[in-house]
Amino acid sequence: MDQTQNQAQRSAPTAAPASASSSASRAYQFHPARAAIVDLFNLYLGRSSRQKPEDSIREPPNKTQKRVLALNRELPPRNEQFLLDFEQLQSQFSDQEQLRAVTESVLISLVVQCSGHAPRAEFLLFALRSLCSIGYINWDTLLPQLLSSISSAEITVGQGSQVMPAVSSTSLSQSGMLPPSSSIPNSSNFQSSNPASPLPSVHGIGSPAQSTTEPPSCATLSPAKSSDISCNGQQSTARVNSSIRDNAVSSLRQLCCKIILAGLEFNLKPVTHAEIFYHMLNWLVNWDQRQQGIDESDAVKSWRPDKALIEWLHSCLDVIWLLVEEDKCRVPFYELLRSGVQFIENIPDDEALFTLILEIHRRRDMMAMHMQMLDQHLHCPTFGTHRILSQTAPNIAGEAVANMRYSPITYPSVLGEPLHGEDLAMSIQKGSLDWERALRCIRHALRTTPSPDWWKRVLLVAPSYKSPQPPTPGAVFTSEMICEATIDRIIELLKLTNSEINCWQEWLILSDIFFFLTKSGCIDFVDFVDKLLSRVTEGDPHILKTNHVTLLLAQVIRAELVMNALNSDPRKVETTRKLISFHREERSPDPNNPQSILLDFISSCQNLRIWSLNTATRDYLNNEQLQKGKQIDEWWRQASKGDRIMDYMNMDDRSIGMFWVVSYTMAQPACETVMNWLNSAGVTELLPGPNLQSNERVMVMREVSPLPMSLLSGFSMNLCLKLAIQMEESLFAGQVVPSIAMVETYTRLLLIAPHSLFRSHFSNLAQRNPALLSKPGVTLLVLEILNYRLLPLYRYQGKSKALMYDVTKIISARKGKRGEHRVFRLAENLCMNLILSLRDFFSVKREGKGPTEFTETLNRITIITLAITIKTRGIADADHLLYLQTMLEQIMATSQHTWSEKTLRYFPSVLRDALMGRMDKRSAVIQAWQQVETTVINQCKQLLSPSAEPSYVTTYVSHSFPQHRNCLCAGAWVLMHGHPESINSANLARVLREFSPEEVTANIYQMVDVLLHHIQMELQHGHPLQDLLLKACANLAFFVWTHELLPFDILLLALIDRDEDPHALRIVINLLERQELQQRVKLYCINRGPPEHWLHSGMFKRVELQKALGNHLSWKDRYPTFFDDVAARLLPVIPLIVYRLIENDAIDQADRLLAMYSPFLAYHPLKFTFVRDILAYFYGHLPAKLIVRILKVLDLSKIPFSESFPQHITSSNSVCPPMDYFATLLLGLVNNVIPPLHNNSKSGAMGEHLSNSVRAPLNKTPATSQSGLGNASEGQKAFYQIQDPGTYTQLVLETAVIELLSLPVSAFQIVSSLVQIVVNIQPTLIQSSNGLHGASSGVGQASVLPTSPSGGSTDSLSAGRSTTSVSGINTSNIVSRSGYTCQQLSCLLIQACGLLLAQLPPDFHVQLYIETSRIIKDSWWLTDGKRSLGELDSAVGYALLDPSWAAQDNTSTAIGNIVALLHSFFSNLPQEWLEGTHVIIKHLRPVTSVAMLRIVFRIMGPLLPRLANAHSLFNKTLSLLLSVMVDVFGRNSQPSIPVEASEIADLIDFLHHVIHYEGQGGPVQANSKPRPEALALCGRASESLCPDVQHLLSHLKPDVNSSIYAATHPKLVQNPS
């Protein structure tokens, strides 16, 4: 019987591992020692009872009467005997390691079974300690297996409870969760034996695995009545079973924590610590999941945390505190910060847990602060540059990069990380600070009109229009935000209009964007109308005095989504009534003004449109307005007189206004009328040229005047769309060659509404009819339109790169084809312009692989563009830096060129280093020429002698070798001997036309090399240089002007690329000064009309094809030119010649060239960009005289320069301008570039926090004299008026850049002046405006600013404050002109200064870093040795710890302002230039105090998240921060005041966080791992730290034996070396 009982006892522990233990313990369950070990433990646990396990089944577990078992056995042996017995058993087995594993397995299963029996649990703890004392426990294997077994056991119990509502204690014991029935005595006995043990009460907490499918009836009774229910009641049974299960779980977890606490006394492996930590966290986070399935209201009444639960919770907390304690740092405290423990939804009423959560919150807040820049809430896109700067590195797959959506703003998470994305945008609460930040950005965009490309990247389709699809990546704005911001803009314009300010242009610009947003589905039209009406009626009811709103809505009424809203939406009647309610009677002082007429009739137009749309809404229409429509019909009948041809050039104001009205009611007839006008002059036959005898007739439209902008601007968007389509049909699919007027009108149409009408021409035509582009005339026309009319539009749209790839395909297809010169050269010139217009990094191939498809010329220009971009604007994305080398290899694979030393001297270092080692192929070219010279000269004699047979041309082209053909021009040049008339030019012309374009280019480059070599040889023979140059130029003039044999632009580029030859540039200058070219350029300017072609009201004159393009390009072609001309091809070339002259120190020649060609350069589509870039590229190397000459390329009257700027650049002495000049410059940026701080929403508090106080309503035109800009014109400018640079904000910002680059003073003086203004800006403004703004400033501050941080004495704070004002600034004038309070203006001036400095070349950045370092080092807390540690910390914390603190007035410190300036500067810098920021720290070192260490981290820390994908730069910055930490806490450091390592716990947390952030490439996830390189870097740095800091960073190492990150990192575990 005893034997049977023992076997039964053994079966329990063997069954448990089989179901609940880990796989490791299962492997040992059949080991021969297992039975002996089980017996030994059973003996000491008192488990050798004769009672059969089946007995317990007969009794329900909640039976109330006592049950006494008479145990017929001896008491268990004394505990002290256990170790002796175990050692005796141990000696019987040889394999001690297996015995140990079996022992652990048995121990685990017994812990799972006996945890609810206190004496047995105590014995198991005793046994564990005893075995540990003889080194028989491997905690690193035991603890993970124990935790795994407990998890499995809890799941099993949870499942069991769902299957069997009346679970018996025996069935639970067999699952390995509860002890056998013999160990469950009567409740009172159980409690008396161990008061701490849990009672099997009804107040259970439920298993984590409990399913919600449990019958809800179990929760319907209160616990007081549950005991009264009979045993067959489901509720009572389920409750009691739940209670038993909960007690079992509690006691199991409690015992487990005790075992872990015992284990933590030993040195465990990091991976074990990690396992324990995550289990404890999981228990904490899910502590209350046992309530699932219980009705919520009943759960509140019936459930309270019992003593057992609180006990295991406290034990769990003990384990966690022990793991994260700083002395041992078994697990970094950071793991708690990213765990989410503090977000437990149902926190138990427990002080110990609450203490932990508070500490986590405190440290998270500190850590998050280091992630955020100072005044980050003020950082916002300004649209002052055409580059879309990503605020955060997106972690996305390679294929998605092409459609990447950048984050114009990001929202900081609780960990300080920048977040973005559709889900996040949807979750932002209206009225919150984040909502206001988003609205500030959108409002600014509506005012400054960034490109549609920007809008497309950031917008979300309104939910009502959205098709099911995955969330959109990138930062986004919801339709609600767009809707509110658009309404804000409408209200703003209504106020201005009511103030009798002419805002017609602003309304037109808004209608273009509004149409684009509505058509894109980003505005829910029904919702928009509803909200707009609410704002108008609930706000100022008298604000709607005009019909401008009706006009805006009439623009979109034919959009498909709007038609649906008015036709089929359930709310169509209500929406229609609201639309009609916006109508107002127009009362204009000038009734014949076209705008007044349109506004007067627009209500009638809208009524008529709605009437035709839907019969259901006709009853609500205004009958009077419908009748007014008859006046429109009557005017139209009179005006068109049936033939629908109108003389647009002679229309009076009333006729213009009425035609605008017609465009809203009868768009199709209006469209036909415009087309009839453009065709009204009829057609004529184009006569064939002198070189061409053809029977094919070419018909051309006769010229008329194009439609003026003043007329086009008032057309309805519907008419514009119809016209664009109709014109494209006529231009590209018609049988007649269109007139220039038609083409010009078409381009004006696209320029007037860039958001709504833009189309990508090549893809658009390919979609409509792929065969169109195969027609030679169509390709030529498209290329001319793009090259001479729409280049800036494509750049504005962000489509230049895509267009470049499309044009490259045309070039690639034609470069090897014979005779394809005209299309090829035009496409090449367009591609040249496109490449030179790119001011951001680009791939040379759309696919990104293989050599480029560029020509040799384009390859060279690509390198020049890269040099200018990298040097003047930097590389925005670190990934581009990685691709740079590949890109250069792609270019060099097909390019033979090497750049001269003088050119490379100005290249940025990254490019110079890559190109420096290239071998000069010039000597090889000359050698190759010498080898074939004899043969080539003989062929040339046969081909080019005056008596040569014309038939030989065909023979030569068909049978000559390529290497000989490429030298044809070189041979011809040699034969001339300075007498070009001596050769047969007709034959040479024919041969060159029969060559492929690629061969002609090769001929030009070969001829230039031979020519220059020939001059060198002749000089050696004693010939005078002047004669040689004159002869060379005469010969070249024969080629390009006399007989027009070669393209002149390519010849000039070939010559300037050989600038290492002393004579090449002299020849270039000579050619450019020749009368032939001068005449050609003058003729071009006369024929072309004014540079601003859209203002030209007269007829355009078509130049004859041969005269426009010359013999070589026109040849047999008959298709006429529109805007193309050989002279126009020089527009991209002349700026490059100027660059090359400056590189070669030929300053006088550059000056002369610019003087000569300034009128011509006025036609350059991107001349403003040229001026800005050349000043930046050669900054510090240009004499003042040349700078003034460069500036004269611009039409200075149209550029918003400061009033005093001309005096500063023309003054004879180099004196730094006064402070007032710089302050006015910054004010211009605040008023025109920095997004305004103003808030029209009702949620005032949050808006005030954003903007400190509501900005006074604008009561004057935004760009008037208040900006401090001398030439700024009235009102908002349309895109066509500022095509270069593209937006008014860009114009103002880039003008300020040009001013600073042009000043005749050093970068140091400029930077020093700007920094001085920023450091002392608040006291300067306050002291000057006390009388003016004193009262209001006080009120604003009291209501908005947070209370001052405590901890520092008043004395210390005042000493740290910036108190000196800047002299020389007319501050009262500045404050009054800004429209802001002093508080707002001071912080926005800091933002403006950072933005401005970020646009300047790196020369300025170095000076900024030096100056800011000096100011920081001169701060009182570093120079005053008497200050206490508390004061230092208080001062630093006061200045820098609140991310929005620097913006506050009267409390800001010099250091706060400096750091705010640096952070504004950093946020606008491209990633490549961020490496220069390290100079700041180098100048601040040696760092000897924690205060300075904190300043360093505060400056540089927020950069690290931005560098998450720029690993090399991230590592450098991180290494620098760690080295500064070594300065203060190094092994050999002696800080001025001794400090504890715990003082920098927040910096330690921050380091952990950014390393994880970089490892993830974005916001830290639960599974984020650091990169091994970052761990290695930290590991190396920590070796130099003192021990108490070193162990805080012990986990940031690649050592798997000391770091939980290394131990759990798949790469490091696989390769531990």
Side-chain angles (χ1 to χ4, degrees), residues 199-213:
L199 280 168
S201 79
V202 291
H203 305 283
I205 55 173
S207 162
Q210 182 175 354
S211 167
T212 52
T213 56

Side-chain angles (χ1 to χ4, degrees), residues 168 181 382 402 541 567 710 831 855 994 1086 1180 1222 1375 1451:
S168 70
S181 58
T382 61
N567 231 341
S710 55
C831 209
T855 60
E994 290 288 354
I1086 292 166
F1222 294 105
V1375 174
T1451 52

Side-chain angles (χ1 to χ4, degrees), residues 897-901 920 922 1057-1062 1144:
H897 189 57
T898 50
W899 281 263
S900 70
E901 286 291 328
D920 189 353
R922 194 171 158 198
D1057 278 342
R1058 284 297 181 214
D1059 62 319
E1060 72 272 26
D1061 188 291
N1144 284 271

